[in-house]
Amino acid sequence: MVRKAVRTLRVRLCLCPLDLNRFLIDKTLMKTATVADLRNDFRRVSAWLDNGETVEISKRGKPYARLLPLAAAQTEPAPKIDFAAQRLATWKGRHFSNEEVAAMRQAELEGED
């Protein structure tokens, strides 16, 4: 039964078997939504995209666009900054007295004027 339907469909659409397979996959597995669905129910459409599904958008009953999910990027997480090592490299273990800190602060405030 399915073979006859496929054969009939191939004859009607004049598709080679490879194109027919792509056509069948696109039409049977692809989710469809309207422009109004994008506006009013984007959460559902984005859930389809999150699941890796392709969504065909139709406008006034005709195909308008196709939304494809982005491939998950295989990126490494950003390295964590070692602030203690940076502080040690900058100040080389130097400790400031309260007077030195007050003098530096005063110099900063004078420079703001």
Side-chain angles (χ1 to χ4, degrees):
M1 184 73 165
V2 173
R3 287 184 183 184
K4 183 177 180 184
V6 168
R7 196 175 322 126
T8 305
L9 187 60
R10 186 183 308 153
V11 171
R12 276 192 203 151
L13 296 175
C14 299
L15 298 173
C16 69
L18 184 61
D19 290 340
L20 180 64
N21 289 341
R22 184 173 176 88
F23 174 79
L24 290 174
I25 289 171
D26 285 349
K27 293 303 174 191
T28 57
L29 299 179
M30 189 182 317
K31 301 285 187 175
T32 59
T34 63
V35 174
D37 290 335
L38 284 177
R39 184 177 54 240
N40 300 326
D41 198 12
F42 184 74
R43 184 177 291 176
R44 179 174 51 113
V45 176
S46 67
W48 291 340
L49 292 169
D50 290 340
N51 289 334
E53 299 180 43
T54 302
V55 180
E56 184 174 274
I57 307 300
S58 61
K59 183 176 182 181
R60 296 183 182 175
K62 296 181 181 177
Y64 181 71
R66 199 173 275 177
L67 293 176
L68 303 172
L70 290 177
Q74 298 294 331
T75 59
E76 296 179 15
K80 294 188 177 185
I81 299 171
D82 188 2
F83 291 106
Q86 283 186 352
R87 186 178 64 235
L88 183 62
T90 302
W91 299 108
K92 297 177 182 52
R94 184 170 177 203
H95 295 283
F96 297 101
S97 66
N98 288 338
E99 293 81 23
E100 288 175 315
V101 172
M104 286 189 282
R105 179 67 181 144
Q106 187 62 34
E108 286 180 7
L109 292 176
E110 288 173 0
E112 290 180 358
D113 293 334

